[in-house]
Amino acid sequence: MNLCVLGAQWGDEGKGKIVDLLTPRFSLVARYQGGHNAGHTVYVKGRKFVLHLIPSGILHPGVVCIIGNGVVVDPTALFAEFDELIGMGVDVAGRLFISDKAHVILPYHRELDVLAEARRGEQKIGTTSRGIGPAYEDKIGRRGIRMGDLADASADGPLSIAVQHNVDARNRLVGNSDMKWQEVLADLRRAWVRLRPLVIDTSLHLHQAITAGSAVMFEGAQGTLLDIDHGTYPYVTSSNATAGGAATGLGVGPGVIGNVLGVAKAYTTRVGGGPLPTELLGEMGERLRETGMEYGASTGRPRRCGWFDAVAVRYAARVNGLHSIAITKLDVLDGINELEICTAYRCGNQTLTEMPSDLAQLSLCEPLYETVPGWSEPTKGVVEFDRLPENARRYIRRLEETSGVPASIISTGSDRDHTILRPEFSPF
Ligand code: IMP
């Protein structure tokens, strides 16, 4: 059975560890959206790997990794990651393929990202400055450059015309700027020499593998509340991080996606601007940030922290069709006397049990909390549900009840082994 693993909150839920943990059950791991804005941290035997673009399945010998058409790829970032993996002794040869339809992030996308944020002023989104949004803008605007387009070596062919056109357009937009399209094109030609063996029709590759009986894990980046359609728009990323994105972002039918596993922290974090109803601005927020090491894996920015928001996870369960959730970082809550779970929002004189679409309304929402007792015993490294302190078990059960999905996995530490698997809820 295939499985889609995605973020059920605002990203940074710990998907990297969960994907890494489950990878041995699959022959292929396929990324379907986003770019190197993602940062998936994986600890293997005490060694830390941070993957941005390449699926974390690459750490398992023999597993084939796919970067789908829905991903935007910065060749410089890709090579840097590739080389780092090789330097750390990971054998990547013949195990990574990139869709010929994936769009390329170019230097002007990065510059436009920074410029657009500066122009937004107070309303800035807090993007990762990786050029993600502008690359997707070019894709939707039907002027983007795709991986497969880089094969065109002719001096005045479609690639050279597109690069010239796009760089000129960007120079007009920025004003007094003289980016040289010839230099951008020369860089792309150099990159192609290395990219060529990796670029294939990944939809066909997946189709053939699935038909032959191979199991695939579809790997989402960012999270449901950062999805371009279903997130807290406009404070979102520019792609579909939700389960539907796996079908369009990889060229597979929705029927092959199989099970959907949402990853959610035992509390909530968000990096960048936009509403976060359960945000804790005082001491408790600081405590979660420090204990949970809540600093961006890609940008190092401090993450905003808050209590578990069951309204948000319930919403994620709906828009993704979640079969179960993986609850991560339970151990971060060790030693807190009382915990709060947000079960609804108060907005003026209304009580909302569903996530509102209107950002202005969401910004006015106050969380309605249920208080539950915490636990003093450590949960770090616990591998059996029954070995958790009683209040930790009660807390997990309340998270399941309030978000409406069973927890098939509970993570109690950063290492692969620090994990509770609950086969009774496991769809895989
Ligand atoms: P962009 O994806 O760089 O355009 O950023 C848009 C929003 O998504 C910003 O709020 C970012 O902080 C957020 N974002 C992008 N990637 C990630 C991620 O991997 N984890 C958490 N937040 C992210």
Side-chain angles (χ1 to χ4, degrees):
M1 175 72 88
N2 301 328
L3 175 73
C4 180
V5 179
L6 52 81
Q9 296 165 319
W10 277 271
D12 305 319
E13 298 92 349
K15 296 178 289 294
K17 167 177 167 169
I18 303 299
V19 169
D20 175 64
L21 179 80
L22 298 176
T23 295
R25 301 160 192 243
F26 298 89
S27 307
L28 298 100
V29 179
R31 252 294 283 277
Y32 58 84
Q33 45 74 233
H36 64 307
N37 48 350
H40 292 169
T41 308
V42 186
Y43 292 86
V44 186
K45 304 228 179 306
R47 284 175 82 197
K48 182 177 175 185
F49 292 82
V50 183
L51 295 153
H52 302 281
L53 199 50
I54 299 178
S56 14
I58 202 77
L59 301 175
H60 294 258
V63 172
V64 170
C65 291
I66 303 276
I67 294 179
N69 57 278
V71 178
V72 283
V73 181
D74 180 330
T76 313
L78 177 79
F79 296 147
E81 204 167 315
F82 209 75
D83 291 341
E84 201 184 330
L85 283 169
I86 294 170
M88 289 177 104
V90 179
D91 181 14
V92 287
R95 296 177 46 220
L96 177 69
F97 297 104
I98 306 171
S99 167
D100 51 2
K101 292 180 184 154
H103 280 247
V104 183
I105 300 182
L106 290 154
Y108 50 82
H109 292 132
R110 286 193 294 273
E111 289 184 10
L112 290 173
D113 197 353
V114 173
L115 192 74
E117 281 285 84
R119 286 185 178 157
R120 284 184 195 112
E122 291 280 287
Q123 269 76 47
K124 74 172 187 213
I125 292 166
T127 72
T128 57
S129 314
R130 303 287 202 263
I132 306 292
Y136 279 114
E137 277 179 50
D138 275 358
K139 172 178 175 173
I140 302 301
R142 295 163 292 189
R143 55 184 174 266
I145 292 167
R146 306 190 297 176
M147 277 291 162
D149 299 336
L150 305 185
D152 169 26
S154 55
D156 52 0
L159 176 64
S160 129
I161 292 170
V163 171
Q164 184 173 357
H165 182 271
N166 286 0
V167 172
D168 283 351
R170 174 243 170 235
N171 284 346
R172 278 197 303 277
L173 210 63
V174 174
N176 70 4
S177 162
D178 61 348
M179 185 179 273
K180 302 274 185 298
W181 68 267
Q182 293 89 341
E183 288 172 15
V184 175
L185 182 63
D187 283 347
L188 286 176
R189 297 220 192 282
R190 270 191 293 275
W192 178 244
V193 175
R194 218 175 153 190
L195 287 167
R196 186 170 30 206
L198 310 180
V199 175
I200 62 167
D201 179 345
T202 49
S203 161
L204 179 63
H205 188 89
L206 279 169
H207 176 75
Q208 287 168 342
I210 293 167
T211 309
S214 298
V216 183
M217 176 157 38
F218 304 106
E219 180 182 356
Q222 290 84 47
T224 300
L225 279 305
L226 288 173
D227 180 281
I228 184 76
D229 284 283
H230 302 291
T232 48
Y233 190 89
Y235 295 95
V236 291
T237 192
S238 302
S239 62
N240 283 119
T242 45
T248 53
L250 284 161
V252 298
V256 306
I257 290 173
N259 271 283
V260 186
L261 172 68
V263 185
K265 267 180 203 164
Y267 49 98
T268 310
T269 64
R270 169 168 208 165
V271 59
L276 182 65
T278 62
E279 183 166 14
L280 293 162
L281 295 169
E283 228 172 81
M284 186 53 79
E286 194 57 34
R287 175 177 177 157
L288 292 175
R289 180 158 41 251
E290 292 313 313
T291 316
M293 293 183 289
E294 297 296 352
Y295 294 89
S298 282
T299 59
R301 291 181 292 175
R303 297 179 186 140
R304 299 154 65 194
C305 300
W307 295 121
F308 187 85
D309 185 341
V311 181
V313 177
R314 221 161 39 230
Y315 174 70
R318 165 157 57 95
V319 298
N320 293 297
L322 297 185
H323 293 90
S324 71
I325 48 173
I327 296 176
T328 59
K329 293 194 149 185
L330 182 70
D331 54 302
V332 172
L333 302 182
D334 290 356
I336 300 177
N337 277 346
E338 283 187 333
L339 304 163
E340 311 275 7
I341 300 171
C342 168
T343 54
Y345 300 145
R346 163 80 36 81
C347 192
N349 52 12
Q350 273 183 298
T351 300
L352 305 179
T353 53
E354 298 295 336
M355 179 65 80
S357 307
D358 178 27
L359 192 80
Q361 190 183 23
L362 181 61
S363 308
L364 295 176
C365 283
E366 298 279 336
L368 288 176
Y369 286 123
E370 173 182 316
T371 305
V372 294
W375 54 91
S376 52
E377 311 89 315
T379 63
K380 197 171 180 75
V382 172
V383 295
E384 282 172 48
F385 188 71
D386 293 340
R387 293 280 168 102
L388 286 174
E390 192 188 338
N391 283 347
R393 278 181 273 147
R394 279 168 64 184
Y395 182 66
I396 295 287
R397 288 202 190 98
R398 280 310 287 152
L399 299 193
E400 294 180 307
E401 285 156 7
T402 53
S403 53
V405 236
S408 52
I409 299 177
I410 298 155
S411 169
T412 56
S414 50
D415 214 83
R416 254 181 210 165
D417 304 331
H418 297 164
T419 312
I420 299 169
L421 295 174
R422 297 169 86 202
E424 64 275 33
F425 301 122
S426 168
F428 30 85

